[in-house]
């Protein structure tokens, strides 16, 4: 296998990625790239980042051998990477800490972000409070209604939450709006993108900040098994938790990589967010990647029980890993994810986010296929507290 | 000679500046677009920019995004836009049309097919907002082969190396984005624009158009003194939005507003520039 060294200098992962933005943003993105490349090679910056991950986020997060789940499923030995135990309850904070540090080094005092379910918004508002920065979060008006608690959480942290009423009033529209803010205020403002998508260098930078997940798994699994795992499983919306887990293993051919998308009500129903499984290549939000689009190139509305997977695009590196067949992508329906949510909660006493529940549901199928002598690591990317209302509503319970 | 080049040459001889209105194709109703294009030409448009609706118009402000949404309600596709251009061309053989939009619909149609059909329909130039020259390597030669000009944006944030790079690949004219922000934003700094245009003229002989933030006759007149073309988009589209419940008044009112800009531009230097910044 050739050594993996993507993206290239202009942000391409094979035909994917790149820099598809209006001229006004070209120079600011060039400035960001230069700043990030110099910090990436700077030991003091890396030390600063590592220390924040340790003292503020609470890393390393445990690798937990899920013995009861392993026994119940009757297949491969299952380990859960506990990103749900991070400060703010998900992997998102790894990235926002990293980007806030870059922002500080670039002298920016205002940060903006887009958010769907509110997790990335909360993670951005949290680090903005921590670093004393002004914070504005763009959120679809529909999502604001569905995620009242996260909206209030962001406000408590001192962020301004701006409702977005254009388009489908969800995550993709919030991203459009955040991009507009950035174009207008680019001299003072740093745009904290929440996933491995967007124009170069974001997919690379966000991936780099999230690779702490996979690097920890590499040494943690050695302590239990004395060898690398046979399979890694993670959910994919934009795909940052999956890239963070996969990246340190890309060169290890014996480690199979599985990304799990949201099949919503089933791919055949058309109500889903399974971009890699059912989409095709196109250009959106600054990069070329797989998209869910109409026959004439309009981006279509997606559906998933999990707001964090409800996005019509996907990180360009996943598009490349799919085409190059290094990773395999599958999709799990709302119903399967919900069953997995309950199963993990009852069997291990761990309540997963609905996003992560997609990975758990797929892992259950895979565990049996792999068989008992195999080792599998599932990324538990976030905790389920935020989803209790959604789950209760679906079961007709009024809280 | 290509229609855009001919138009600028003629205007230069007459000592006039080009007025370029922008409308989104299909806004608010598909049947309005072609008659409106003709009416805009009659009111003084020298070139017309026709927006191709896209679901995620990231570089546009809320006014044009809403126009896009109104068009998409009627399912207006890139193919429909080309049909509108073909219809316009049956009675207007002289006024250049520049399609302005985003890459994805073009990519879905295929570059070769798009260029073939656009040229055949009578399109003269193409401005793909989210396609910088760095990523245009496959598109540019296809457009050129079909005789389509490729218009690029330059921004206040573009340093001299980027100005050179874009001057090297652009054709037809260069569109200078006169302020930081999206279409329809406020705060136009005339002195900054003047300085930037001088810098760009040092690198290219192409005509320079200025757009973003031009919303009244006074500003149009002042910009016409600095640039070769004045581009007006959100100011028109906003007036169309105000008449969305009476779409047939659009055909009179929007060209009337454009005519007021034309008059102010043609009055030119004789006109006082009092009133200061707005």
């Amino acid at each position: 296998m050739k050594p993996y060294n993507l993206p290239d200098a202009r942000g391409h992962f094979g035909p994917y990625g790149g820099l598809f933005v209006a001229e006004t943003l070209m120079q600011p993105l060039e400035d960001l790239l230069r700043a990030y490349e110099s910090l990436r090679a700077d030991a003091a910056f890396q030390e600063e980042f590592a220390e924040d991950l340790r003292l503020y986020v609470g890393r390393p997060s445990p690798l937990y051998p899920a013995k009861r789940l392993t026994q119940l499923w009757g297949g491969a030995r299952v380990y859960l990477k506990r990103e749900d135990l991070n400060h703010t309850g998900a992997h998102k904070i790894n990235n926002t800490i990293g980007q806030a540090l870059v922002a500080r080094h670039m002298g920016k005092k205002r940060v903006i972000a887009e958010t769907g379910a509110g997790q990335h918004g909360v993670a951005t508002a949290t680090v903005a409070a921590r670093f004393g920065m002004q914070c504005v979060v763009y959120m679809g008006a529909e999502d604001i209604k569905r995620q009242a608690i996260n909206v209030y959480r962001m406000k408590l942290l001192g962020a301004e939450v701006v409702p977005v009423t254009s388009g489908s009033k969800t995550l993709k529209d919030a991203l459009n709006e955040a991009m507009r803010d950035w174009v207008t205020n680019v001299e003072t403002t740093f745009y904290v993108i929440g996933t491995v998508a967007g124009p170069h260098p974001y997919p690379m930078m966000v991936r780099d900040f999230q690779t702490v997940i996979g690097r920890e798994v590499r040494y943690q699994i050695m302590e239990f098994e004395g060898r690398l795992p046979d399979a890694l499983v993670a959910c994919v919306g934009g795909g940052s938790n999956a890239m963070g887990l996969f990246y340190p293993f890309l060169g290890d051919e014996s480690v199979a990589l599985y990304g799990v998308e949201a099949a919503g009500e089933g791919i055949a129903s058309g109500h889903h967010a399974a971009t890699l499984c059912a989409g095709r290549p196109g250009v959106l939000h600054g990069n070329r990647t797989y998209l869910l689009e109409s026959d004439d190139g309009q981006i279509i509305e997606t559906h998933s029980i999990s707001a964090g997977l409800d996005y019509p695009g996907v990180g360009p590196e996943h598009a490349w890993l799919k085409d190059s067949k290094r990773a395999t992508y599958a999709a799990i329906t709302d119903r399967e994810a919900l069953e997995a949510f309950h199963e993990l909660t009852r069997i291990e006493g761990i309540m997963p986010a609905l996003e992560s529940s997609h990975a758990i549901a797929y892992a259950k199928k895979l565990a049996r296929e792999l068989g008992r002598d195999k080792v599998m690591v599932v990324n538990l990317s976030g905790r389920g507290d935020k989803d209790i209302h959604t789950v209760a509503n679906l079961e007709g319970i009024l809280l | 000679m290509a229609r855009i080049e001919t138009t600028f040459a003629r205007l230069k001889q007459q000592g006039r500046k080009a007025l370029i209105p922008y409308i989104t194709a299909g806004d608010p109703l598909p049947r309005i677009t072609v008659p409106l294009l003709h009416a805009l030409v009659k009111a003084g448009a020298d070139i017309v920019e026709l927006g191709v609706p896209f679901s995620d118009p990231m570089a546009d402000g809320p006014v044009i995004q809403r126009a896009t949404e109104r068009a998409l309600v009627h399912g207006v596709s890139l193919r429909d836009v080309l049909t509108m251009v073909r219809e316009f061309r049956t009675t207007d053989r002289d006024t250049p049309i520049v399609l302005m939009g985003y890459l994805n619909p073009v990519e879905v149609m295929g570059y070769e097919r798009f260029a073939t059909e656009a040229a055949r329909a009578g399109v003269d130039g193409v401005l793909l907002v989210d396609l910088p020259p760095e990523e245009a390597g496959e598109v540019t030669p296809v457009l050129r082969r079909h005789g389509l000009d490729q218009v690029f944006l330059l921004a206040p944030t573009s340093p001299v190396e980027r100005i050179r790079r874009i001057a090297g690949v652009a054709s037809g004219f260069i569109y200078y984005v006169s302020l930081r922000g999206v279409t329809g934003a406020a705060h136009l700094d005339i002195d900054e624009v003047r300085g930037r245009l001088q810098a760009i003229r040092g690198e290219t002989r192409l005509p320079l158009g200025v757009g973003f933030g031009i919303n009244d006759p006074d500003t149009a007149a002042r910009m016409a003194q600095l640039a070769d073309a004045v581009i007006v988009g959100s100011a028109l589209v906003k007036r169309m939005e105000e008449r969305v419940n009476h779409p047939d008044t659009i055909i009179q009112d929007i060209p009337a507003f454009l005519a007021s800009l034309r008059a102010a531009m043609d009055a030119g230097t004789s006109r006082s520039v009092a009133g200061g910044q707005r």
Side-chain angles (χ1 to χ4, degrees):
Chain A
M1 179 179 262
K2 279 187 293 180
Y4 185 92
N5 58 356
L6 298 178
D8 69 14
R10 298 219 320 267
H12 297 109
F13 303 89
Y16 302 108
L19 246 172
F20 294 87
V21 294
E23 177 60 24
T24 313
L25 285 178
M26 289 300 287
Q27 191 56 36
L29 284 163
E30 177 70 33
D31 295 343
L32 171 61
L33 175 64
R34 254 182 250 153
Y36 177 61
E37 297 255 279
S38 90
L39 291 171
R40 197 185 191 199
D42 177 353
F45 174 81
Q46 293 302 336
E47 182 53 39
E48 194 181 6
F49 179 47
E51 184 163 298
D52 264 357
L53 290 180
R54 188 164 61 87
L55 298 178
Y56 190 66
V57 178
R59 303 202 73 94
S61 67
L63 184 68
Y64 170 72
K67 291 189 179 143
R68 296 235 304 148
L69 204 61
T70 300
Q71 198 173 21
L72 179 73
W73 289 355
R77 289 192 290 286
V78 183
Y79 291 83
L80 302 177
K81 179 57 173 167
R82 298 292 308 274
E83 291 299 298
D84 60 317
L85 294 178
N86 291 341
H87 179 43
T88 72
H91 70 290
K92 293 285 187 190
I93 190 102
N94 302 329
N95 168 48
T96 57
I97 288 270
Q99 290 197 47
L101 286 173
V102 176
R104 204 172 61 173
H105 278 273
M106 292 180 78
K108 313 274 182 177
K109 297 195 164 62
R110 178 176 181 268
V111 293
I112 57 170
E114 82 293 340
T115 197
Q119 294 306 100
H120 173 58
V122 168
T124 305
T126 300
V127 300
R130 155 102 166 74
F131 290 112
M133 292 167 166
Q134 190 195 341
C135 178
V136 177
V137 178
Y138 290 91
M139 189 167 181
E142 275 304 310
D143 290 333
I144 284 181
K145 270 193 275 176
R146 293 191 286 204
Q147 302 286 343
I149 291 179
N150 270 344
V151 173
Y152 186 51
R153 195 172 285 163
M154 287 183 266
K155 288 179 179 166
L156 288 173
L157 288 160
E160 181 193 345
V161 181
V162 180
V164 176
T165 54
S166 55
S168 57
K169 306 181 176 63
T170 59
L171 176 60
K172 75 176 178 72
D173 309 286
L175 213 151
N176 292 334
E177 209 57 41
M179 206 61 104
R180 290 182 183 128
D181 179 317
W182 198 37
V183 175
T184 311
N185 302 299
V186 72
E187 268 150 32
T188 59
T189 299
F190 190 98
Y191 180 15
V192 182
I193 291 186
T195 190
V196 286
H200 184 56
Y202 281 99
M204 171 179 82
M205 180 169 70
V206 176
R207 174 198 74 193
D208 290 351
F209 291 141
Q210 293 292 0
T211 53
V212 65
I213 302 171
R215 281 186 277 116
E216 287 175 5
V217 167
R218 259 190 106 85
Y219 71 76
Q220 288 170 322
I221 197 69
M222 295 306 278
E223 288 168 19
F224 289 106
E225 296 283 348
R227 67 178 181 91
L228 294 182
D230 299 292
L232 303 178
V233 183
C235 64
V236 176
S240 69
N241 89 82
M243 262 340 293
L245 177 64
F246 292 174
Y247 186 73
F249 293 91
L250 286 181
D252 302 293
E253 281 177 273
S254 67
V255 182
L257 311 174
Y258 296 92
V260 186
E261 297 191 306
E265 293 164 14
I267 288 179
S269 75
H271 298 144
H272 63 84
T275 310
L276 289 164
C277 295
R280 57 179 179 176
V283 173
L284 177 70
H285 291 153
N287 62 119
R288 179 176 281 118
T289 186
Y290 277 76
L291 300 175
L292 292 172
E293 59 182 1
S294 68
D295 289 341
D296 55 2
Q298 308 297 345
I299 307 307
I300 58 179
E301 286 182 30
T302 52
H303 166 83
S304 168
I305 190 176
S306 135
L309 302 183
D310 208 349
Y311 177 63
V314 64
E317 196 162 13
H318 285 294
W320 170 244
L321 292 178
K322 175 192 161 77
D323 282 12
S324 65
K325 301 194 162 57
R326 177 63 188 93
T328 306
Y329 294 88
I332 284 292
T333 64
D334 289 349
R335 182 188 294 268
E336 292 170 312
L338 202 57
E339 281 168 14
F341 171 90
H342 285 296
E343 189 159 272
L344 188 64
T345 303
R346 296 293 294 274
I347 299 296
E348 293 284 358
I350 296 172
M351 195 176 290
L354 286 173
E355 290 79 5
S356 321
S357 300
H358 287 71
I360 302 290
Y362 185 73
K364 181 176 185 171
K365 299 181 186 181
L366 189 64
R368 285 174 193 159
E369 272 173 43
L370 290 173
R372 285 176 191 278
D373 55 337
K374 295 292 165 62
V375 173
M376 176 168 68
V377 175
V378 187
N379 203 8
L380 198 63
S381 54
R383 66 173 174 237
D385 309 40
K386 69 180 176 66
D387 296 314
I388 289 177
H389 270 88
T390 307
V391 174
N393 277 347
L394 284 169
E395 295 178 356
I397 299 165
L398 257 175
L399 294 181
Chain B
M1 215 199 293
R3 259 191 293 255
I4 295 177
E5 200 181 340
T6 313
T7 301
F8 277 107
R10 172 177 52 80
L11 287 167
K12 194 169 185 181
Q13 261 182 349
Q14 299 169 343
R16 297 167 77 224
K17 300 300 175 68
L19 175 58
I20 308 182
Y22 164 98
I23 58 169
T24 302
D27 167 41
L29 293 170
R31 68 171 168 84
I32 299 283
T33 303
V34 174
L36 180 58
L37 289 175
H38 288 303
L40 289 171
V41 172
K42 209 176 264 178
D46 301 295
I47 296 173
V48 191
E49 258 185 30
L50 189 57
V52 180
F54 180 51
S55 53
D56 292 78
M58 225 166 58
D60 284 295
V63 170
I64 288 180
Q65 168 148 31
R66 286 195 297 271
T68 296
E69 287 169 10
R70 286 192 292 274
L72 287 176
V73 165
H74 300 284
V76 175
S77 65
L78 177 53
R79 193 169 321 196
D80 296 331
V81 177
L82 294 177
T83 305
M84 292 173 187
V85 176
R86 198 175 309 126
E87 197 187 326
F88 173 80
R89 273 284 166 256
T90 57
T91 51
D92 187 327
R93 300 190 162 276
D94 303 320
T95 311
I97 289 199
V98 175
L99 293 189
M100 183 166 180
Y102 292 77
L103 181 59
N104 199 53
V106 171
E107 191 152 305
V108 166
M109 184 180 273
Y111 301 149
E112 187 65 42
R113 206 171 128 218
F114 165 72
T116 308
E117 293 188 17
R120 194 178 296 154
V123 171
D124 300 283
V126 178
L127 198 183
L128 296 168
V129 185
D130 56 350
L131 184 69
E134 286 85 345
E135 299 284 358
E138 283 182 51
V139 182
T140 303
V142 178
L143 296 179
R144 193 167 295 165
R145 204 168 58 242
H146 288 275
L148 294 165
D149 283 322
Q150 193 173 11
V151 178
F152 281 95
L153 300 171
L154 276 172
T157 49
S158 309
V160 68
E161 311 87 74
R162 289 200 59 78
I163 295 175
R164 262 179 217 145
R165 178 192 276 267
I166 286 168
V169 288
S171 52
F173 63 96
I174 286 178
Y175 185 145
Y176 178 70
V177 173
S178 50
L179 42 78
R180 290 169 182 76
V182 292
T183 50
H187 310 306
L188 197 54
D189 182 339
I190 301 249
D191 289 330
E192 188 186 350
V193 173
R194 182 181 292 118
R196 294 283 176 178
L197 290 181
Q198 270 166 7
I200 297 169
R201 285 202 199 281
E203 306 296 334
T204 182
R205 303 180 68 179
L206 284 175
L208 302 185
V210 170
F212 282 38
I214 297 168
N215 48 24
D216 57 28
D218 206 42
T219 315
R222 282 194 275 171
M223 284 301 164
Q225 291 172 19
L226 306 177
D228 304 303
V230 172
I231 303 159
V232 188
S234 296
L236 297 182
V237 174
K238 194 166 157 240
R239 282 170 173 79
M240 289 171 69
E241 182 167 49
E242 288 161 5
R243 290 158 179 80
V244 77
N245 293 322
H246 309 281
D248 293 311
T249 63
I250 285 173
I251 293 287
Q252 271 92 45
D253 294 354
I254 304 309
F257 174 70
L258 193 76
S260 74
L261 302 184
R262 174 88 266 170
M265 283 167 61
D266 290 348
T269 45
S270 65
R271 197 185 156 85
S272 149
V273 286
Q277 295 286 344
R278 47 176 59 240

